[in-house]
Amino acid sequence: MRTSMLRPVLLTAIASGLLATASLANAATTLNLSYNGPPDADKNAVHLFASNLKRLVEEKTDGDIQLKLYPNSMLGEEQERMEQVINTPSLNIASFAGLSPIVPEIYVSAIPFLFDDYSAAHQFFDEGDYWNKVEDTLKERTNAELLGVVEEGGFIDFTNSQRPISSPEDFKGLRFRAMDPSQVALYEAFGASGTPIPWTDTYMALKTNVADGQMNPPMYIIMGSLYEVQKYLTLANVQYSDQFLIANGDWYEGLSEDNRQAVEAAVKEAVEINRREVEKKVDERIQFLADQGMKVIEPSSEEMAAFREQGQPAYIDWLREQGIDDEWIKMALEDAGQSDLLSN
């Protein structure tokens, strides 16, 4: 009698336990996504990408994967966040400052004046052998996955407070804020000097004349209010402005095939949205800077050729000084249709 009374209770308990186990197995995974800049999609294209990626991943995985956004470097600066994404299940959008200590070969993608337009840059990162090798190299060195290239503001342009710049000769004697040593090398090729200064200190450095100028896409010039302390904007399409979506390798490899395909599709769509939204706003942002009093200079084709002829060989020499093998340089130049530079 006693056994027969307990049987339904045990069966109910077992059934409840099985349901609880199934529920845990199907519970959504919440992943941190960290990145630089404010949570403002109009002023920060990286946040625009992160917001769209969150929405698309959650939609395409039917809620299996949830993303929690951490803008403004809330989880640490560049190298801290790279350590996190390598060692724990997470996502990180890294700039050159985060990725280059691990894969310094990415500096090759920043050879100045490498792309004539956006479509050339897109093809380089979407289809090129060089970028495939970058992805493979990050995987080999850290097991992390490089999932996407995030367009963060269009092409990088020069600004300064002293005089219009439309040719390499106009740089002579000026002092520039540099993001990293590669930019120092470029300024020096034009007869200027460059000093690495953190982004957070750039406005004050320009205001107090520690530096005369800097280079960034229009979006960052607006985000940092640099138009208040810079008079001249030179539209030189110096470099393609991008950051890099990194995923923890163990987490990515552990995804089901369906969820992995869903994440890849979400990344691709978010990248396309960013390209479209960033590029359609570039002219509007340049006009905004002009309305704030900046003088906009558009170099002629002959002046752009002079920038290339003087800047590219000096930058390639700098790459070689960093110990970057010519194989990387050759591959990237071939992908960009500029193999003739190899003879320099």
Side-chain angles (χ1 to χ4, degrees), residues 269-321:
E269 189 171 342
V271 164
E272 291 298 331
I273 292 171
N274 246 57
R275 289 174 174 176
R276 186 168 61 248
E277 292 301 311
V278 166
E279 291 163 25
K280 79 179 185 182
K281 289 184 178 179
V282 168
D283 289 343
E284 173 187 320
R285 286 170 172 152
I286 292 170
Q287 185 59 53
F288 173 86
L289 293 172
D291 292 342
Q292 303 310 304
M294 292 193 78
K295 182 176 180 180
V296 179
I297 299 101
E298 295 188 57
S300 66
S301 57
E302 291 79 11
E303 289 166 337
M304 284 300 301
F307 279 129
R308 289 191 189 93
E309 288 166 11
Q310 197 161 326
Q312 287 180 331
Y315 188 93
I316 290 172
D317 286 343
W318 178 84
L319 291 173
R320 289 168 173 154
E321 289 168 7

Side-chain angles (χ1 to χ4, degrees), residues 47-64:
H47 178 71
L48 173 68
F49 174 83
S51 300
N52 283 318
L53 184 65
K54 171 181 169 63
R55 172 179 58 82
L56 291 164
V57 164
E58 292 173 2
E59 285 177 5
K60 293 180 184 294
T61 63
D62 293 326
D64 281 356

Side-chain angles (χ1 to χ4, degrees), residues 83-98:
E83 289 176 9
Q84 290 165 16
V85 78
I86 289 167
N87 295 309
T88 61
S90 58
L91 296 168
N92 176 44
I93 302 173
S95 74
F96 273 75

